[in-house]
């Protein structure tokens, strides 16, 4: 069996406790299991070289540099990663040595983009007669056409492919799973199953926290009965320990395994670690008076909820607030509800693409003859156009921070890095279709790098994978010249007062990761408690600003 990660922010190495590469690596302790990571950066480098190399020595150096520049953006990274994905899923010979191939995909929004690419690129190649696209020469893409068609066919073949959706028993997560299921079905992917991860039942009849946790899960499931009834569902119980390493992973399927594992971590107080409540962080943020506040982190850690809570609190304190999202699976409006003083929006890829194409055709296209307009229309049909359109919308939203507070709920880590990656390349690409660059495009990098204008909040939960992936995100941001302002450790059971053995164990096991954030990663950090009521609307979000008791 081969396990493949397509996530740009893969943590498969940590889970399997094995250093992986782009080649299959055997996993010690699991005979017959091999794993690999698709490295988007390396895939993009190889893809770029494959397209440019045939022209070396045949075209002028300036032309080659122009081709390389066109192939240096985030869209190229995405299509290059898909190129590698296609080889594995569309070419039976590439995985002939394995009985099964399991793809651990990126969080929802990026995965949907990945799965739409076979159809999108086949459509573009079908109609394009020009010699170039936003990716440079089309010859390299035409050569892959048959492979892309095979990949698209494999994805929709129920005998070959099963799509496993994974969700927590939470309202927002289940709604996202339902939306994803519907979009996949529209793409022809019908062989779906659902795994409900983290199901919990209270062990003590008089423990308020434990009963509230069980109740929240039960209510979320009750509200999604029609969705749950239409596909096979498997259940995984909440564990007290991190599922790191083969031994721990095997306990996931052990029938009746109710063991509670507690780490040897020593007690601590929040004061010892300079950890404060979210309310204290809000006091710091409001001193900006205006600007951009971005929540970033791994999918499922509560970025949307934190963003909505911050927006609601800023509005309560009298500031004008624009709450927006770059997440294709946006549900900020559901989390916030209707709050006076908060304008809610989302960056809709379809709408932004249409507006961008219309603008280019009305401006650049107006100066071209009939054949030139036809070629321009072809170029704009490439999937890269959507990336550019979303980038422009992102830049406009950031610029709005000059007029008040903008709170940006960003997509899960991998997609966000693709959005922020190679901004200069986007500048060049946008300039191909515009006579001059708008001010918001010229200023986006300086604004994101300005700590007096942009505050990046890294959101995590006190578990191994989310913390370590957030640390990698922080390193990537720093390399881009963006220094995170603070970390928010969300959904903590520290100081909850629960007497439930499993929740006590989770609280103790949190300690090592809370200390890691406070001592190794964060210049400042806040701890946000797990709350009894669903954090939705004014009252629900206000719970997140309560003080935690010292551990």
């Amino acid at each position: 069996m081969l396990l493949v990660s397509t996530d740009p922010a893969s943590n498969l190495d940590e889970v399997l406790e094995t250093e992986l590469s782009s080649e299959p690596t055997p996993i010690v302790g699991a005979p017959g299991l091999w794993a690999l990571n698709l490295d988007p950066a390396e895939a993009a480098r190889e893809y770029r070289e494959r397209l440019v190399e045939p022209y070396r020595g045949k075209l002028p150096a300036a032309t080659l540099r122009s081709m390389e520049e066109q192939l240096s953006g985030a869209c190229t990274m995405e299509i290059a990663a898909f190129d590698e994905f296609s080889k594995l899923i569309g070419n039976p010979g590439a995985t002939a040595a394995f009985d099964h191939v399991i793809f651990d995909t990126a969080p929802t929004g990026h995965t949907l983009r990945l799965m739409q690419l076979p159809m999108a690129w086949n459509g573009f190649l079908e109609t394009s007669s020009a010699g170039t696209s936003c990716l440079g020469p089309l010859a390299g893409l035409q050569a892959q056409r048959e492979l892309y068609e095979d990949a698209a066919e494999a994805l929709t073949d129920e005998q070959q492919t099963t799509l496993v959706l994974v969700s927590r028993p939470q309202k927002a997560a289940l709604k996202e799973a339902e939306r994803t299921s519907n979009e996949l079905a529209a793409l022809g992917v019908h062989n779906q199953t659902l795994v409900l991860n983290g199901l919990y039942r209270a062990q003590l009849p008089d423990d308020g926290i434990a009963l509230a946790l069980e109740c929240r899960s039960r209510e979320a499931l009750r509200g999604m009965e029609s969705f749950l009834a239409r596909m096979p569902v498997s259940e995984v119980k909440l564990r007290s320990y991190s599922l790191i390493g083969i031994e721990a992973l095997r306990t996931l399927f052990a029938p009746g395994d109710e063991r509670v594992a507690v780490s040897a971590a020593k007690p601590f107080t929040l004061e010892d670690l300079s950890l404060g409540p979210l309310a204290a962080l809000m006091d710091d943020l409001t001193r900006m008076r205006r600007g951009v506040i971005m929540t970033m982190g791994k999918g499922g850690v509560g970025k949307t909820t934190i963003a909505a809570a911050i927006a609601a609190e800023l509005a309560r304190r009298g500031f004008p607030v624009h709450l927006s999202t770059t997440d294709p699976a946006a549900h900020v409006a559901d989390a916030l509800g209707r709050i006076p003083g908060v304008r809610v929006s989302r960056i809709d890829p379809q709408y932004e693409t249409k507006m961008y194409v219309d603008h280019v055709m009305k401006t650049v296209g107006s100066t071209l003859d009939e054949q030139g307009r036809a070629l321009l229309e072809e170029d704009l049909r490439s999937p890269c156009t959507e990336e550019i359109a979303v980038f422009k919308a992102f830049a406009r939203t950031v610029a709005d921070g000059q007029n008040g507070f903008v709170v940006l709920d960003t997509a899960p880590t991998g997609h966000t890095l693709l959005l922020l990656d190679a901004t200069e390349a986007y500048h060049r690409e946008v300039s191909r279709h515009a006579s001059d660059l708008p001010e918001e495009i010229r200023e986006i990098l300086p604004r994101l790098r300005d700590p007096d204008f942009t505050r990046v909040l890294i959101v995590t939960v006190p578990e191994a994978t989310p913390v370590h992936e957030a640390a990698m995100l922080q390193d990537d941001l720093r390399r881009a010249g963006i220094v995170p302002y603070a970390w928010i450790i969300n959904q903590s059971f520290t100081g909850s007062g629960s007497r439930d053995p499993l929740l006590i164990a989770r609280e103790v096991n949190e300690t090592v990761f809370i200390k890691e954030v406070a001592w190794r990663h964060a210049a400042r950090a806040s701890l946000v408690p797990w709350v009894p009521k669903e954090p939705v609307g004014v009252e629900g979000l206000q719970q997140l600003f309560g003080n935690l008791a010292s551990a």
Side-chain angles (χ1 to χ4, degrees), residues 62-122:
T63 303
L64 292 175
R65 283 196 300 271
S66 177
M67 290 170 60
E68 289 173 339
E69 286 178 356
Q70 290 183 34
L71 291 163
S72 64
C75 185
T76 299
M77 185 179 293
E78 189 168 12
I79 193 64
F82 173 72
D83 209 39
E84 298 301 311
F85 171 79
S86 295
K87 293 175 185 176
L88 293 172
I89 198 169
N91 180 5
T95 55
F98 304 98
D99 295 326
H100 300 279
V101 181
I102 299 176
F103 289 93
D104 169 31
T105 66
T108 306
H110 183 79
T111 299
L112 288 176
R113 286 279 306 145
L114 190 70
M115 299 192 75
Q116 286 171 333
L117 281 172
M119 296 72 169
W121 280 104
N122 278 342

Side-chain angles (χ1 to χ4, degrees), residues 288-317:
M288 295 170 60
R289 313 300 296 179
R290 67 184 182 108
V292 176
I293 298 170
M294 298 176 67
T295 58
M296 301 179 69
K298 182 178 173 64
V301 298
K303 293 184 305 299
T304 298
T305 299
I306 295 296
I310 289 172
E313 180 63 12
L314 287 170
R316 190 188 70 80
R317 298 187 184 197

Side-chain angles (χ1 to χ4, degrees), residues 267-309:
F268 67 97
T269 65
L270 303 185
E271 291 78 10
D272 290 341
L273 302 180
S274 300
L275 290 166
L278 191 58
L281 181 61
M282 288 300 306
D283 293 338
D284 293 336
L285 294 174
T286 53
R287 295 189 184 100
M288 295 170 60
R289 313 300 296 179
R290 67 184 182 108
V292 176
I293 298 170
M294 298 176 67
T295 58
M296 301 179 69
K298 182 178 173 64
V301 298
K303 293 184 305 299
T304 298
T305 299
I306 295 296

